[in-house]
Each structure stands twice: as C-alpha cells, then as structure tokens.
Amino acid sequence: MLTFINIARDTLRENHQYDVESLTAIRFFPVGRSANHIEFFDRNGPALEADLTASPLAPAAEIAARMTAAGFEMAALPLRAAGQEYPLWISPAAITYAVADQPYGLAQTVTLRLGVEGFYDSVVTGTTPEELKALQTALRRTGRNLVAIDPAATANAMGQSSLFLFDPAALEHIAEDRGHELTLCFRNSAYLTVPPAPQGSNNLSAVFQSSASGLLTLPGTRQALSFRPGDVARFTPSGDDMIRFVRKREKNAASSGDFYAVFNNAQDRDNALERLRQTFAPGNIWPARRFTV
C-alpha cells in the first residue's frame, strides 16, 4: 500500500509527494561540508539528497513528524560526537537488530549498533536512556516478533550489552571463525560481529542458529556456517577442502561480499557439493526477490 505525504515546506504553494512507507531513515547535517543537507534512505539504500537552503522541502524534523502523523513512526536517534548533534530518524519497522552497550559517562549515554534496511551507518553514539527506552517502545508497537537476548548472556571481551534485539526473519547468514567470533548478515543491513566470551567460546551462536529459519547449514565444516540458499548467485570448489560462494547483489544495496566454507577434508567437501546440487535442483529453490548478479 502506497502512502504519499507532501514534504514541501509550504504545503499550500508547493507539492512534493513522497511514499513514506518506503522510507527507512532520514539524516540531516546541520554543520560541516554537507551543512543543511538532508538524506533519505529506503530499503535499497540512498533514495534522495537535497540542500534545504535551495530546496522547497520542509525541515527534517517536520518531515519526520508528518510521517509519524501519517501512521509511519520515526524514532529520533541523533548522533552525538565532539559536542555536535546530527539529527537522525529511523523507522522501527526497518530495524533488523539493535545492540546497546552499558551506559557510560556522567550523562549515562550508550553507543547503539543498529541494523536498518538500506541505511549502512550502523553505529549511533551518544544515545540517551530516554531515547533508548522510546526506541524499545516503538519497536513493540510494530508488533514484530523480535528475539530479545538476556544481557547476562552477551558478556564478551568487549563487555556486556544492556540491550540486544534482533529479527530472526531478517537473519540471512551466520558464520563463526576459528576464534569463535560470529559474523551475522541481516537483510539489506550493515553486518554485525559478536566477539566470543572471555573464556573463548561464543554464548550466542546457538541462539542465532535456533532462532533463524530457512537457513542452510552445511555439515563437515571447520567453523559453523549457515546461509539463505536464495541469496547465492553461484558456488564453486576451491582447493581440496573449500567451496567459494558469491552472493546475489540487490540493486543499490551494499555488496555483502563472497564467503567460503572450509571443510574438515575433501570427502566432507564433496558431500556438501552433492547436498548443494540437490538443494538447487530445478523446483527446489525459487528466489523470493529479483536480483542483479
């Protein structure tokens, strides 16, 4: 369903209609080389950039308010650094994960890592407790089935999280390296890395593996690997014990790169190739989206 609103400054004289349902983030630069510039993002990436000095568009905060009034809530999560604030609004419906560290400093602010479809700057600094609470409330209002991880289970070499939420339906790739660091790829979002616990293992590997659905796990690999079959463009053996995969690229989306599966031996690799041939046999896989390869 398309929902257009007028984002012009003077709605009586100007008419600039925008489908607000497609928007996932709005960013505004008050100072610097991009001063007075506004950027819009949708699920495929950057969608529109304008200089508000010369453009008839409304101020960024007013556009976000109009979207919320139209039923498409935007959560205010400004970036704060070096005494400067950079306004940012995020659509809770487009968030694929949210990870916050423990509060620090006199202001008790947190650094927030966000997965937002089409918006790839995932680190938001200086988030206040009130803003974090408002974000959690907005996420609950979306009615989505987000998985909340107990903060006690998130302890790793970088500390413990105060909030860890993710959307299992958006999780498309799980890989664990030899040092037990997890790399998680979410739909059209910045990837997320999860370091191991101080004792060397990763407490969260099983949580992600059990929560995700529709992922293919290849047995016989040296490190755990799961991925969504429909995201693979091609694969080929490499050496005696590896398979190289190339991902499909969505138009305008950031390239998420190739990945490898390393097996215990050549026989395990060959068994995996046979399983892949069966998985990708005609009629077994039908991509849910169209890609450019």
Side-chain angles (χ1 to χ4, degrees):
M1 177 181 175
L2 301 179
T3 303
F4 285 85
I5 65 169
N6 190 354
I7 61 173
R9 181 183 294 109
D10 186 344
T11 57
L12 297 178
R13 298 183 181 182
E14 299 284 347
N15 200 347
H16 293 273
Q17 298 289 331
Y18 207 110
D19 174 22
V20 292
E21 187 175 16
S22 68
L23 288 177
T24 60
I26 300 174
R27 179 167 58 182
F28 179 68
F29 296 91
V31 297
R33 288 191 297 177
S34 299
N36 220 35
H37 274 70
I38 187 172
E39 294 180 338
F40 296 82
F41 299 82
D42 62 22
R43 283 178 167 78
N44 282 324
L48 173 67
E49 180 182 353
D51 181 354
L52 293 186
T53 304
S55 169
L57 299 185
E62 186 173 335
I63 293 175
R66 291 181 194 178
M67 289 183 61
T68 298
F72 296 91
E73 183 174 7
M74 298 295 281
L77 292 169
L79 291 82
R80 299 181 178 94
Q84 184 62 54
E85 182 171 299
Y86 299 87
L88 172 68
W89 292 266
I90 299 293
S91 168
I95 291 177
T96 55
Y97 64 82
V99 183
D101 62 14
Q102 292 290 333
Y104 64 90
L106 295 176
Q108 289 291 285
T109 58
V110 302
T111 295
L112 183 62
R113 285 182 290 165
L114 283 179
V116 182
E117 291 191 60
F119 184 70
Y120 303 106
D121 294 338
S122 61
V123 179
V124 179
T125 55
T127 301
T128 67
E130 293 76 19
E131 289 166 343
L132 187 60
K133 184 177 180 179
L135 175 65
Q136 291 177 266
T137 302
L139 285 169
R140 284 194 292 269
R141 277 197 290 264
T142 65
R144 298 161 63 205
N145 294 319
L146 301 178
V147 174
I149 298 178
D150 182 354
T154 65
N156 57 54
M158 296 174 61
Q160 181 175 302
S161 300
S162 63
L163 173 72
F164 202 129
L165 300 169
F166 73 96
D167 181 359
L171 186 53
E172 298 188 332
H173 184 105
I174 307 170
E176 184 174 352
D177 66 17
R178 297 180 184 182
H180 299 290
E181 180 172 85
L182 290 174
T183 299
L184 308 168
C185 295
F186 291 81
R187 182 177 59 238
N188 288 359
S189 309
Y191 68 86
L192 175 66
T193 58
V194 180
Q199 64 268 28
S201 61
N202 204 306
N203 302 326
L204 303 183
S205 180
V207 175
F208 294 114
Q209 293 285 354
S210 61
S211 300
S213 60
L215 301 189
L216 176 66
T217 300
L218 296 177
T221 57
R222 296 181 188 176
Q223 290 83 40
L225 172 68
S226 302
F227 57 92
R228 198 170 301 281
D231 292 340
V232 172
R234 57 187 184 273
F235 61 91
T236 184
S238 178
D240 294 330
D241 60 354
M242 297 174 65
I243 300 176
R244 174 180 177 242
F245 295 87
V246 175
R247 289 184 178 278
K248 297 172 181 177
R249 274 48 159 162
E250 281 205 5
K251 184 179 180 182
N252 297 330
S255 170
S256 50
D258 307 338
F259 62 97
Y260 293 83
V262 183
F263 294 86
N264 295 318
N265 50 59
Q267 183 60 54
D268 285 341
R269 193 276 312 273
D270 291 343
N271 291 340
L273 284 172
E274 179 58 32
R275 181 174 183 182
L276 288 167
R277 279 191 285 268
Q278 295 174 6
T279 299
F280 288 97
N284 286 351
I285 292 293
W286 185 261
R289 294 170 289 173
R290 298 189 63 173
F291 293 85
T292 55
V293 180

